[in-house]
């Protein structure tokens, strides 16, 4: 309403400085998911972000047609309104061409190729999800780099070898970082540092997600079966917590904080974490068709909220979360 009252008000509330202050007070919402098969799945009613999700779906180019034509581009991750994609050009190199994109403003940046002396640390990399030989993640830059270069971002390339895990960090503010080797590692996004951790003992590490719990503690969501005869057919989600302080090399004491028992007749796939809530896709047999949808699970209140319908029948595909603002409140991220 203020923007309609006077042109001066419109200039103020659409300026970058005003929107940055607004975004600092109002965190962005989950708007939907982008599957690695190049489809965008916006949030749906009654989820509160549904109107903004529809607006973004109409305004943005989620097919990334603005990228240079050099092969098949595939979404690998999303964060802060940006997407990381890599390009398959008919060969099978360990490290593909990487682009960081803003689909709303149709901007992109290509990462420089890794130097040979760095890639020499990767020996016999295993395939990721049966396709690529490296994982690609978006991450924030360190606080120092963010102050020096507003809008800076980091990209992590990770290759799993038979005896080690190797990660390379690229910062748009300072260039390529260094490799890191371990079996299970956690990234401290405040300091942009990796450190090794152990996973909760007596629990098989399959589907899991890491979340910040505040007060120098981190959490780990894990999905598993009931663990006793009464709950053997149930799906149980467990939340473990541990201190961010490392006692000895890789030593981590995980404490079981909470468990939530999910439906016996449904199977669940983990989609990630947003706003401290666990995102899941559930599917169950009903008239020979799998139906259910994507939900968010609040561990504090045990409240389940529907986000949207089912993304994919059968086992849920790999997806990237799109978290941001509607077009009228968005800033370019590239």
């Amino acid at each position: 309403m203020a923007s309609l009252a006077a042109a001066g008000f419109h200039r103020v509330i659409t300026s970058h400085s005003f929107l940055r202050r607004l975004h600092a007070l109002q965190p962005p919402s989950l708007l939907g998911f982008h599957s690695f098969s190049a489809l965008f799945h916006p949030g749906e009613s009654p989820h509160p972000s549904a109107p903004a999700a529809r607006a973004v779906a109409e305004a943005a180019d989620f097919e990334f047609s603005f990228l240079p034509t050099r092969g098949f581009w595939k979404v690998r991750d999303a964060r802060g309104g940006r997407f990381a994609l890599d390009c398959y050009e008919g060969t099978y190199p360990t490290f593909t061409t990487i682009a960081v994109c803003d689909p709303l403003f149709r901007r992109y940046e290509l990462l420089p190729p890794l130097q040979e002396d760095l890639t020499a640390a990767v020996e016999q990399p295993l395939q990721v999800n049966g396709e690529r030989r490296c994982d690609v993640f978006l991450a924030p830059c360190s606080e120092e780099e963010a102050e020096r270069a507003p809008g800076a971002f980091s990209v992590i390339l990770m290759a799993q070898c038979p005896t080690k895990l190797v990660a390379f960090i690229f910062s748009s503010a300072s260039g390529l970082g260094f490799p890191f080797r371990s079996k299970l590692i956690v990234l401290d996004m405040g300091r942009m540092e990796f450190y090794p951790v152990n996973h909760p003992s007596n629990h098989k590490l399959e589907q899991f997600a890491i979340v910040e719990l505040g007060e120098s503690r981190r959490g780990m969501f894990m999905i598993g079966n009931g663990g006793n005869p009464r709950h053997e057919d149930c799906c149980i989600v467990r939340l473990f917590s541990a201190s961010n302080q490392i006692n000895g090399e890789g030593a981590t004491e995980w404490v079981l904080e909470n468990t939530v028992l999910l439906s016996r007749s449904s199977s669940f796939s983990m989609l990630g974490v947003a706003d401290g809530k666990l995102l899941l896709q559930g599917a169950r047999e009903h008239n020979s068709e799998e139906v259910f949808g994507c939900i968010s699970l609040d561990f504090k209140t045990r409240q389940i909220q529907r986000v949207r319908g089912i993304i994919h029948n059968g086992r849920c595909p790999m997806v990237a979360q799109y978290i941001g603002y509607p077009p009228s409140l968005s800033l370019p991220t590239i």
Side-chain angles (χ1 to χ4, degrees), residues 6 61 149 245 267 277 299:
D61 181 359
Q245 303 298 322
S267 60
K277 299 176 182 178
F299 260 67

Side-chain angles (χ1 to χ4, degrees), residues 33-114:
F33 305 94
H34 198 292
S35 65
F36 290 1
S37 58
L39 294 175
F40 180 64
H41 307 271
E44 298 173 343
S45 181
H47 194 269
S49 69
R54 287 195 299 269
V56 167
E58 294 175 358
D61 181 359
F62 287 111
E63 295 182 355
F64 304 99
S65 60
F66 53 90
L67 284 174
T69 303
R70 53 191 305 171
F72 173 68
W73 290 98
K74 182 176 181 179
V75 171
R76 304 300 302 276
D77 195 20
R79 180 182 178 85
R82 303 183 180 103
F83 282 84
L85 296 89
D86 73 344
C87 183
Y88 173 65
E89 302 179 56
T91 59
Y92 293 92
T94 299
F95 298 103
T96 52
T97 302
I98 307 295
V100 178
C101 307
D102 181 340
L104 186 58
F105 292 90
R106 293 163 173 77
R107 300 179 179 182
Y108 70 92
E109 181 175 334
L110 295 178
L111 270 62
L114 285 172

Side-chain angles (χ1 to χ4, degrees), residues 42-259:
E44 298 173 343
S45 181
H47 194 269
S49 69
R54 287 195 299 269
V56 167
E58 294 175 358
D61 181 359
F62 287 111
E63 295 182 355
F64 304 99
S65 60
F66 53 90
L67 284 174
T69 303
R70 53 191 305 171
F72 173 68
W73 290 98
K74 182 176 181 179
V75 171
R76 304 300 302 276
D77 195 20
R79 180 182 178 85
R82 303 183 180 103
F83 282 84
L85 296 89
D86 73 344
C87 183
Y88 173 65
E89 302 179 56
T91 59
Y92 293 92
T94 299
F95 298 103
T96 52
T97 302
I98 307 295
V100 178
C101 307
D102 181 340
L104 186 58
F105 292 90
R106 293 163 173 77
R107 300 179 179 182
Y108 70 92
E109 181 175 334
L110 295 178
L111 270 62
L114 285 172
Q115 301 174 4
E116 291 186 3
D117 59 334
L118 292 177
T119 59
V122 181
E123 302 170 354
Q124 299 178 335
L126 306 178
Q127 283 191 335
V128 180
N129 301 320
E131 297 182 8
R132 303 294 201 256
R133 288 185 170 85
C134 77
D135 257 331
V136 181
F137 305 97
L138 280 169
C141 283
S142 65
E143 295 180 1
E144 179 181 346
E145 289 177 327
E147 291 180 1
R148 186 172 66 252
F153 59 87
S154 294
V155 179
I156 300 172
L157 310 180
M158 189 171 293
Q160 183 177 351
C161 303
T163 60
K164 61 188 176 183
L165 192 66
V166 184
F168 300 91
I169 307 173
F170 173 85
S171 169
S172 64
S174 59
L176 191 64
F178 55 88
F180 187 94
R181 303 172 180 86
S182 182
K183 291 183 178 179
L184 178 63
I185 59 177
V186 169
L187 172 64
D188 184 330
M189 291 193 175
R191 296 179 295 180
M192 282 304 297
E193 295 178 357
F194 283 108
Y195 50 84
V197 299
N198 298 324
H199 63 80
S201 59
N202 301 322
H203 293 277
K204 191 175 181 180
L205 192 63
E206 293 182 349
Q207 293 193 64
F208 72 96
I210 301 295
V211 62
E212 289 294 330
L213 298 179
E215 299 179 355
S216 299
R217 297 186 67 78
R218 63 179 176 274
M220 178 185 289
F221 292 109
M222 293 182 66
I223 293 182
N225 59 26
N228 63 61
R230 290 189 306 165
H231 298 155
E232 191 62 34
D233 296 331
C234 297
C235 179
I236 283 195
V237 183
R238 298 177 173 89
L239 173 61
F240 297 88
S241 68
S243 171
N244 281 333
Q245 303 298 322
I246 300 299
N247 301 316
E249 185 177 354
T252 305
E253 294 184 2
W254 293 97
V255 177
L256 180 61
E257 294 283 347
N258 203 349
T259 62

Side-chain angles (χ1 to χ4, degrees), residues 299-314:
F299 260 67
K300 292 181 180 179
T301 63
R302 300 194 175 217
Q303 181 181 5
I304 293 177
Q305 185 179 45
R306 185 180 184 274
V307 177
R308 59 157 290 112
I310 200 165
I311 293 177
H312 186 271
N313 290 332

Side-chain angles (χ1 to χ4, degrees), residues 30 219 263:
L30 173 69
S263 172

Side-chain angles (χ1 to χ4, degrees), residues 258-329:
N258 203 349
T259 62
V260 175
L261 183 66
L262 299 177
S263 172
R264 291 176 178 268
S265 59
S266 302
S267 60
F268 292 87
S269 299
M270 191 177 293
L271 301 176
V273 177
D275 298 327
K277 299 176 182 178
L278 182 63
L279 303 173
L280 302 162
Q281 174 173 282
R284 61 175 176 263
E285 292 294 330
H286 179 70
N287 295 332
S288 301
E289 294 182 0
E290 291 186 326
V291 296
F292 198 26
C294 302
I295 60 173
S296 67
L297 172 60
D298 189 328
F299 260 67
K300 292 181 180 179
T301 63
R302 300 194 175 217
Q303 181 181 5
I304 293 177
Q305 185 179 45
R306 185 180 184 274
V307 177
R308 59 157 290 112
I310 200 165
I311 293 177
H312 186 271
N313 290 332
R315 182 172 177 81
C316 183
M318 298 293 291
V319 296
Q321 303 170 31
Y322 186 72
I323 298 176
Y325 301 92
S328 60
L329 298 179

